[in-house]
Amino acid sequence: MPVLPPDMRYPALLPCLAIILLVAAITSLAIGAVPIDSARLLAAATGHGDRITTAILFDLRLPRAVLGIAIGGMLGLAGAVLQGYLRNPLAEPAVLGASNAAALGAVGALYFGLSELHALALPILAVLMGVIALVALFALAGHSESPLSLILAGIAISTLAGAGISLALNLSPNPFAGMEITTWLLGSIENRSIDHVWIALPCIAIGIALLLVDGRALDALSLGEDGAQALGVDLKRTRLRLLLGVGIGVGGAVAVSGAIGFIGLIVPHLVRPLTDRSPSALLLPSLLAGAALLTLADVAVRLIPTQSELKLGVVTAFLGVPVFLVHLLRERRLW
């Protein structure tokens, strides 16, 4: 069932979010460790720039901007879908264990030195672990159609993956290995190449496509499982699509960025007051808002004066907690 244009309280919401995202993307391309004036950047973008500027723009800044947009959009959309499907305002991608499982795969690549053999070993192993977590989630949840069974199974998988990460840190062969693992877990899209883009984008595209087709089903599920079935929703197929979308999409995102929290949690709360509050009305706005928010947060880490660049996961945590608390206090009576 395709997503129909949502009945929004503010019809200009999607155009405004698209404009904000465009501005964020341009800003991300224009700002970096090496100051480059706009004329040189424009010349490089049109194929007439010098070799150094062209390399900086296309090899460093463009992959970073693309990953920020793709990963932020995936996390925002996944958060909106899970909050609608599980009917829980605190739901986010980590609730199904996909994020922690993907992080465990990446930590394994760092711990065993596989990332030194090839740069793509880390993201590939992270995606693989995300898929394995998805299979384990189906096995633990069984044939139950209750969201509670998915939450409990996801908590079990997430806890197990977190324990594996802690074990790797505890048994790291030397302090430098432990530091490398900790740094990756903080989350960042710094120094990512076009190879990382080609690893993440197919997974994220598949995830977004699977999640966007169930807007009507999410609206029906707001009436409960029995009400949704009465309206003709196939709960098993809907759950399969949603879990595959979250598992594949978030796994691909975490594979190249590390653990970036709060985007999937706070973005739906930011856009919900600007819609009719139905789950389907949150999907596209959450995708655009998540992409813009993560891209702007990545710009912020480059602007904050520090000896070494702040990690993106740290900035999103500091941004997410106060924003979430403010909206929680403002909107708590509406849930």
Side-chain angles (χ1 to χ4, degrees), residues 1-334:
M1 290 176 288
V3 177
L4 298 177
D7 180 18
M8 295 183 179
R9 187 184 305 174
Y10 301 101
L13 177 60
L14 286 180
C16 288
L17 288 175
I19 292 173
I20 294 173
L21 177 57
L22 179 61
V23 172
I26 294 174
T27 304
S28 179
L29 293 174
I31 293 177
V34 178
I36 302 176
D37 60 69
S38 56
R40 290 177 61 193
L41 283 174
L42 184 60
T46 55
H48 303 290
D50 59 88
R51 186 170 59 182
I52 295 178
T53 304
T54 301
I56 290 175
L57 178 62
F58 289 102
D59 295 340
L60 296 177
R61 296 187 184 179
L62 183 60
R64 187 168 183 169
V66 171
L67 287 175
I69 293 170
I71 293 170
M74 182 68 238
L75 295 177
L77 175 61
V81 168
L82 289 176
Q83 288 179 18
Y85 179 68
L86 300 176
R87 301 186 293 283
N88 186 336
L90 297 178
E92 61 167 333
V95 77
L96 296 184
S99 297
N100 270 10
L104 177 61
V107 168
L110 294 171
Y111 181 85
F112 292 107
L114 300 178
S115 59
E116 297 180 2
L117 299 178
H118 198 284
L120 297 182
L122 188 150
I124 290 175
L125 192 56
V127 172
L128 180 61
M129 284 300 298
V131 174
I132 292 175
L134 186 64
V135 174
L137 186 69
F138 275 108
L140 291 174
H143 298 290
S144 174
E145 295 169 353
S146 170
L148 179 59
S149 65
L150 292 178
I151 293 176
L152 294 176
I155 290 174
I157 294 172
S158 182
T159 303
L160 181 61
I165 293 172
S166 299
L167 180 64
L169 285 170
N170 189 42
L171 299 179
S172 57
N174 57 70
F176 298 102
M179 185 179 298
E180 187 178 11
I181 293 173
T182 302
T183 300
W184 188 88
L185 289 173
L186 291 176
S188 176
I189 52 176
E190 181 186 9
N191 297 328
R192 299 304 190 263
S193 67
I194 195 67
D195 291 334
H196 293 92
V197 174
W198 291 122
I199 284 288
L201 277 189
C203 297
I204 292 174
I206 292 171
I208 289 175
L210 289 171
L211 295 181
L212 283 179
V213 300
D214 281 314
R216 291 279 190 160
L218 293 176
D219 289 343
L221 280 167
S222 63
L223 303 175
E225 288 83 3
D226 293 337
Q229 285 182 320
L231 292 174
V233 175
D234 189 330
L235 295 183
K236 291 183 179 180
R237 290 186 178 181
T238 298
R239 186 179 74 163
L240 177 62
R241 283 193 297 267
L242 295 184
L243 293 183
L244 285 174
V246 172
I248 296 173
V250 173
V254 173
V256 298
S257 68
I260 297 177
F262 285 98
I263 296 295
L265 178 62
I266 66 171
V267 164
H269 291 282
L270 290 174
V271 301
R272 184 174 284 111
L274 305 178
T275 69
D276 63 3
R277 296 184 177 274
S278 64
S280 63
L282 290 177
L283 300 187
L284 288 177
S286 293
L287 190 153
L288 294 175
L293 181 60
L294 189 65
T295 304
L296 290 173
D298 187 51
V299 170
V301 303
R302 287 174 262 178
L303 294 177
I304 298 174
T306 55
Q307 290 184 347
S308 60
E309 186 175 294
L310 286 176
K311 296 303 178 183
L312 188 55
V314 176
V315 174
T316 58
F318 274 106
L319 290 175
V321 172
V323 170
F324 176 70
L325 290 177
V326 168
H327 279 266
L328 177 63
L329 295 174
R330 182 182 300 174
E331 307 290 332
R332 57 186 176 182
R333 295 184 178 180
L334 298 177

